[in-house]
Amino acid sequence: MAGQLILRKADFFPRAGQAVAVADRYPQNVFAEHTHEFCELVMVWRGNGLHVLNDRPYRITRGDLFYIRAEDCHSYASVNDLVLQNIIYCPDRLTLNLDWATHIPGLNGAPSNPHWRIGSSGMAQARQVITQLEHESAKDDPLANLMAETLFAQLVMTLKRHRFATDNLAATHSETLLDKLITALSGSLNRSFVLERFCEQEQCSERALRQQFRTQTGMTINHYLRQLRICHAQFLLQHSEQMISEIAMQCGFEDSNYFSVVFSREVGMTPGQWRHRSRVAA
């Protein structure tokens, strides 16, 4: 694409030949569509935002994990106290004898599922490794690169051990209530979600859970679920030939007219207008 913003290695790696570095986003502001000369792992710690990856929108919040390839095109919009870290790396500079593509989705043409979730226990372990990695990658001594790469390998394995599909509620059996709730919401795109029933099953306070959710994500539970459904609808509108009424049903809206009202309010145009614009742009 002509005029595409490309983030260059020389601007993000302190030393020539460095394989791994950490780029903090405290907070992550709106960022224009771009690609890179390097790959990155994106860990979301809190807040929320709209992450558009290869034309697919994702409403992101605490616990979201992305594996971004150099050629991937992405941007951030509608951010609200969004805090994340980018662990950036150059595959061609990695020297450890490790089959990286086995552990990093999408690397070197491997099958790619870029979006995962990681629960609180995995986040705590990953944060410790990232902190060490950040300190080591900033050093300038003969062993700094190798130490940073070793820590990066540890991080990659930690993420592989703890990551799970965004809607895999079974994977959260040992995680916190907030992790379970976010995953349950992701698995409720095409059906109703009753918070009262969820709280009964988990034997927790609905009021306390609502407050915890808002504190960590910056959204109400209903707003987050609505945003998830709208993002899914945008993807289906662009990449399928289904009728708008069918898409409404798949996104949890029994009334297609109500779906159009909600979609227009959130996106600024009707579903039909958005489908036409997205396909013309493509």
Side-chain angles (χ1 to χ4, degrees):
M1 182 184 298
Q4 176 71 61
L5 174 63
I6 302 175
L7 305 188
R8 305 291 183 183
K9 295 177 182 177
D11 296 325
F12 287 85
F13 290 88
R15 302 183 303 276
Q18 188 173 357
V20 187
V22 178
D24 292 326
R25 297 290 184 266
Y26 293 129
Q28 171 67 61
N29 296 315
V30 170
F31 203 107
E33 189 175 69
H34 61 280
T35 59
H36 322 78
E37 290 184 339
F38 47 84
C39 301
E40 61 185 11
L41 307 179
V42 178
M43 286 284 305
V44 183
W45 299 114
R46 72 166 187 268
N48 70 86
L50 183 66
H51 182 207
V52 182
L53 173 61
N54 296 328
D55 294 325
R56 179 165 188 168
Y58 299 88
R59 174 57 62 172
I60 59 173
T61 191
R62 176 188 183 280
D64 279 310
L65 165 66
F66 287 88
Y67 293 83
I68 309 294
R69 302 166 300 183
E71 65 270 23
D72 289 332
C73 183
H74 69 143
S75 62
Y76 295 94
S78 304
V79 297
N80 177 22
D81 192 30
L82 180 62
V83 173
L84 55 81
Q85 282 181 305
N86 294 331
I87 297 84
I88 60 177
Y89 65 99
C90 300
D92 58 305
R93 294 178 178 178
L94 296 171
T95 60
L96 289 180
N97 186 21
L98 180 67
D99 186 2
W100 296 98
T102 299
H103 310 292
I104 300 178
L107 189 65
N108 299 333
S112 176
N113 174 19
H115 184 206
W116 301 77
R117 283 201 56 78
I118 184 167
S120 296
S121 58
M123 290 175 68
Q125 292 183 38
R127 190 190 292 270
Q128 290 181 344
V129 181
I130 292 171
T131 298
Q132 292 179 279
L133 174 57
E134 187 170 21
H135 290 159
E136 199 62 49
S137 63
K139 294 180 180 179
D140 188 12
D141 66 59
L143 289 178
N145 284 349
L146 184 57
M147 287 291 291
E149 189 176 337
T150 302
L151 288 165
F152 179 64
Q154 183 180 348
L155 175 63
V156 166
M157 297 303 178
T158 299
L159 295 178
K160 184 176 182 179
R161 169 177 283 176
H162 292 281
R163 74 190 181 209
F164 51 87
T166 55
D167 59 352
N168 184 7
L169 187 58
T172 67
H173 67 278
S174 62
E175 297 295 345
T176 67
L177 276 172
L178 189 59
D179 297 319
K180 291 180 181 181
L181 174 59
I182 292 175
T183 305
L185 292 169
S186 297
S188 302
L189 297 183
N190 61 349
R191 59 181 183 271
S192 63
F193 176 82
V194 181
L195 181 61
E196 182 180 2
R197 187 180 307 155
F198 176 88
C199 292
E200 288 177 356
Q201 292 173 348
E202 299 297 331
Q203 298 183 337
C204 65
S205 163
E206 180 177 335
R207 180 178 180 181
L209 188 57
R210 285 184 183 276
Q211 181 59 45
Q212 184 186 14
F213 187 92
R214 186 156 196 166
T215 299
Q216 291 292 325
T217 70
M219 296 177 285
T220 65
I221 293 171
N222 288 339
H223 183 209
Y224 177 65
L225 180 56
R226 186 166 63 248
Q227 288 293 313
L228 289 179
R229 289 173 169 169
I230 292 299
C231 285
H232 187 47
Q234 288 176 298
F235 176 75
L236 293 176
L237 286 166
Q238 183 173 0
H239 298 284
S240 79
E241 299 301 327
Q242 297 178 77
M243 297 176 61
I244 290 175
S245 58
E246 295 173 324
I247 291 175
M249 290 290 291
Q250 285 196 37
C251 296
F253 295 90
E254 296 183 4
D255 185 335
S256 60
N257 290 326
Y258 178 63
F259 165 67
S260 294
V261 169
V262 173
F263 189 97
S264 299
R265 184 175 66 232
E266 297 291 339
V267 180
M269 62 185 75
T270 68
Q273 290 170 333
W274 195 90
R275 168 175 269 175
H276 176 73
R277 195 191 74 163
S278 64
R279 292 186 174 183
V280 169

